[in-house]
Amino acid sequence: GLELWDHLVSRNDLSTRSSDLRKTITEAWAEADLDQFASDAVQRVATIVSDESALYAIARFLRDQIRAQIEHDETPPIGQMRRLAISLFAMHSAGFTHESDDPLSFAPLYLNSWPGLLAQYWMSEIDRSWRCNREGWDGLDAEHRDVLMELLSAPRPTLDATQPVLAGELFFLFSADEEFATEHVLPIFADDRNARFAWIPYLRGP
């Protein structure tokens, strides 16, 4: 995959085919055991973060890779993935739009959009961090808190995908950081404008 990626980058005659093929490689890497190639793969995926057509593939790559490494201690690739996730959201959250009349329908937006996948990535990344630091866990660290606040303060179209993910993980977040969950997640359930974005995913469960 790495050699093919580099070959595609070196070609100037492929136009959109190069972009499409790199997205396909990213999708394949999402399910792969990257092992010693993980850092190189994340570096290459980061080079397409400005491509709006690649955002779903990138978010899925991040989510599936961190889930596969849920029991791992901190490694350079895990740190790279966090930085990529932060960059992706900072670059594109304001421009996300959708055409769903009901974002909480049978095929809900939070399960079928890149902001939803990215929010799922962060839930798993926090879970991984907690598992590796159970004895010294004292709630969310500053980076994780800042990221969750970004997910909860995005424009409304993006919130349609991110709010339900965090609300659906209320029990987990309350256990991980009671103060944060009480201040920033529980109020969604009581807000007349947004309550359904909390209750529906929460009651549906995992």
Side-chain angles (χ1 to χ4, degrees):
L2 296 174
E3 291 182 2
L4 176 56
W5 186 292
D6 293 342
H7 176 71
L8 293 170
V9 172
S10 70
R11 294 282 297 272
N12 296 319
D13 59 330
L14 295 177
S15 186
T16 57
R17 285 190 62 200
S18 176
S19 175
D20 290 342
L21 288 169
R22 281 181 284 169
K23 282 186 289 185
T24 299
I25 294 171
T26 300
E27 291 167 354
W29 280 343
E31 301 176 1
D33 180 4
L34 297 174
D35 197 23
Q36 70 266 31
F37 303 111
S39 183
D40 292 328
V42 179
Q43 287 177 5
R44 283 160 175 78
V45 172
T47 65
I48 61 172
V49 72
S50 62
D51 181 356
E52 292 188 359
S53 70
L55 301 184
Y56 187 92
I58 296 172
R60 181 175 167 233
F61 167 82
L62 291 168
R63 184 200 65 180
D64 290 359
Q65 278 297 314
I66 203 62
R67 285 180 173 177
Q69 300 176 56
I70 200 73
E71 300 288 350
H72 288 203
D73 288 329
E74 181 73 10
T75 64
I78 286 174
Q80 288 174 286
M81 287 194 290
R82 281 200 307 275
R83 292 190 290 275
L84 175 55
I86 290 170
S87 177
L88 189 158
F89 198 76
M91 291 176 65
H92 298 287
S93 61
F96 176 73
T97 60
H98 64 82
E99 298 179 357
S100 175
D101 293 330
D102 182 5
L104 299 168
S105 64
F106 181 73
L109 196 67
Y110 64 92
L111 297 180
N112 296 282
S113 66
W114 73 257
L117 294 180
L118 201 64
Q120 293 171 48
Y121 157 80
W122 282 112
M123 292 298 96
S124 293
E125 160 56 19
I126 292 168
D127 187 5
R128 181 206 63 80
S129 180
W130 190 4
R131 289 177 189 228
C132 297
N133 189 32
R134 289 206 180 274
E135 296 300 321
W137 186 260
D138 190 30
L140 299 171
D141 63 24
E143 182 178 55
H144 288 145
R145 272 180 163 263
D146 289 347
V147 163
L148 296 189
M149 289 304 300
E150 291 291 328
L151 293 175
L152 290 172
S153 59
R156 186 67 251 176
T158 305
L159 279 178
D160 288 348
T162 58
Q163 265 187 342
V165 174
L166 271 65
E169 294 288 354
L170 174 64
F171 181 78
F172 167 73
L173 287 172
F174 193 84
S175 299
D177 193 319
E178 180 178 342
E179 178 183 353
F180 180 88
T182 300
E183 290 183 5
H184 302 292
V185 182
L186 272 175
I188 304 172
F189 288 79
D191 184 341
D192 290 341
R193 297 169 300 172
N194 299 312
R196 65 189 303 267
F197 287 90
W199 282 109
I200 290 177
Y202 179 75
L203 293 174
R204 282 177 178 169

